Amino acid sequence: MLRYLIRRLLWALVLFIAVTFVTYVIFFLVPANPARLAAGQSATPERVEEVKHFLGLDRPFYVQYGKFLKRLVLEGSLGQSFVTRRSVNEEILRAAPITASLVFGAMVLVLSIAIPLGIFSALRPRSLLDRAAMIYVLIGISLPSFWIGLVLSYVVGFKLGLTPIAGYCEVFSVPEAAICGGLWDWAYHMILPCLTLAIVVAGTYVRFVRAEVMDTLSMDYVRTARAKGAPEPTVIRSHVLRNAMLPVVTMVGMDIGLLLGGAIFIETVFGLNGLGGTAIESIGRFDLPVLQGVVIFGAIAIIAFSLVVDLLYAWIDPRIRLT
Amino acid sequence: MSTTSQTTDELLGRGLGESDFAPDGQPAAGGEIRARGYWEQVWRRFKRDRVAIASMVFLVLLVIVVYPGAWVAEKIVGHGPNQIFPDALDDGFLPVGPWSHVENYETGKTDLLVLGADGSLGRDEFLRLLYGGRVSLQVALISTLLVMLIGVTMGAVAGYYRGWADTIVARLTEITMAFPALLFVIALASTAGSRLNGITFGGLLGEGVVTLVLVFTIFGWYYPARIIRAKVFSLREKEFIEAALMTGASDARIIRSHLLPHLVAPIIVYSTLIVAAYILSEAALSFLGVGIQLPTASWGNLLSDAPNFYTTVPLLMLWPGLAVVLTTLAFNLLGDGLRDAFDPRSRL
């Protein structure tokens, strides 16, 4: 187990370096002139040169990347915004809880829809429930998430007036000027966005759970369990579901990491200024450090979650760590 | 069900129809008995799937409507998709509804806007929907082609040679997966996009198509690569590969003549399904304003304007939304149908 742990940790480190390197290249070499962007539209050429020196952009590329990495690792700092001069970390700390509320809330809904639905349709293939579930899957993978969001916020929020159309409320440390706050307001504002994301994501999960359960049902050990006379509920519970749910754990872990950076559309539709919203905003004003910070934060989330999932998996399933 | 017995026949490749049976086990007197080929069997199964056929017909019609159809519609109504109609706004400065007649200041005639105006600039929603369909299909189809080309090559090489080739592909996959793809695509499209957007291959592609195709390819190749790798990995153990190796066939020949035919089915099925995914992605990115840039129309950027009028002219949300939904639905249903036709066992 220790060897497996070390191997996974080292690989996570390699991934981290690869991702930050590529991100750095994309953000500081590809745009025409970051110094010009940072200095502003009306800056004189001398001023742009000054800014270039100040940002360290006149140094060789590898020196720049080295400094960037050193600051990131030793101080945990992602730099400063070109526009507001505030630290990128602050921006991300403000935005991350919003996205996290959305993603975790949606994941809870997804699992509570997809696991029972997937299991029942796998146990009774071609039944009415199974067909309904498959139609739902088809619709789930064919509809654009933002469109469902728009339609839901039009119907539920605007026409029926059941939920707010958009916006976010803090649970803790509510700012003075805020018009809403506390747990109730937070939940009231999050329900529709979470539901939208869940509807989209659950389709894939129903199909996945169904496929996994059907696959496990055809295994030899299930036949053995039945042959030795185990009652059907026991077979399903301890032989089928236990094994079938393992890959679902992996998928959830991977998807949470991915969605932390990928829930942009839902955030945009519902006016939630989370990580995605921050990224879009920073594109609009060419605020490269903030954009880069969000991308790197997203990458760290993915790497961290897949590491946790791998370790969890190895702990549950000894076959993984022994090979 | 009666289909079960038919399916078993086809599974075993017997390919005997009812008329092929003759009494007393004698060969049928009339015609010669001929085994059905693989493609013939696939086609027979596919033909029976009405949903898949309907989807295919829909998609063929769609291509006709957006390619020659958009051009014909433009000639009939007498204006282009990017022409601005200042009169196409009503008293409240809202875009006019479907079937409105509006004066065209360039020709002095009264033009028909079939689905009304698209937003505050008063362009023809109907024509933009047709031209937007071109762009959306271009992005989706070209991305799929490139993704499959790279993915299949990488997957086949990794699965066939194993060892270090497999390790490299696996590591590249893990690195690609570690990127928050969506954020990165958005960032890339907005930093590198301005340079790539202009590439249209002489007007053959819409503006901005190249950028989206590139970013989709960079973050999409690993999925087919993994599917193909797994398939090749197991095929390589089969006796016919061993036999081919024994007769001295080269690696290239084995991959080309012995492995590729087995990969055709997953390649076709998976391609159909990812076209749908890329149509959604194009719509989503253009919705955020980082995909296809105005004035070029695409289904995504038609949708991105819609929320501005969503309490007043909700129909603007409906048209491009329906176009996207019907197209992705058709591709997904076609993909499912093809999968069942290629491999009836998967229908369980």
Side-chain angles (χ1 to χ4, degrees), chain A residues 17 25 27 32 52 64 78 142 168 194 213 232 279 288 293 298 308:
Chain A
I17 292 176
V25 171
F27 283 95
K52 202 170 179 178
Q64 289 183 45
L78 285 162
S142 300
Y168 179 75
C194 286
V213 172
E232 191 63 17
L288 296 178
V308 168

Side-chain angles (χ1 to χ4, degrees), chain A residues 129-145:
Chain A
L129 180 80
D130 183 36
R131 283 167 200 269
M134 287 305 105
I135 291 174
Y136 168 66
V137 169
L138 192 71
I139 293 173
I141 57 171
S142 300
L143 292 183
S145 57

Side-chain angles (χ1 to χ4, degrees), chain B residues 137-159:
Chain B
L137 284 182
Q138 279 170 4
V139 170
L141 293 175
I142 300 173
S143 303
T144 303
L145 198 73
L146 286 179
V147 160
M148 293 312 287
L149 212 63
I150 298 176
V152 170
T153 314
M154 300 273 256
V157 167

Side-chain angles (χ1 to χ4, degrees), chain A residues 226-265:
Chain A
R226 282 186 180 143
K228 74 177 189 201
E232 191 63 17
T234 315
V235 174
I236 300 297
R237 199 159 13 93
S238 3
H239 296 275
V240 177
L241 292 189
R242 269 201 181 186
N243 286 295
M245 286 306 121
L246 272 177
V248 180
V249 174
T250 323
M251 189 150 148
V252 171
M254 300 283 288
D255 277 355
I256 287 182
L258 252 169
L259 282 173
L260 281 176
I264 303 178
F265 309 117

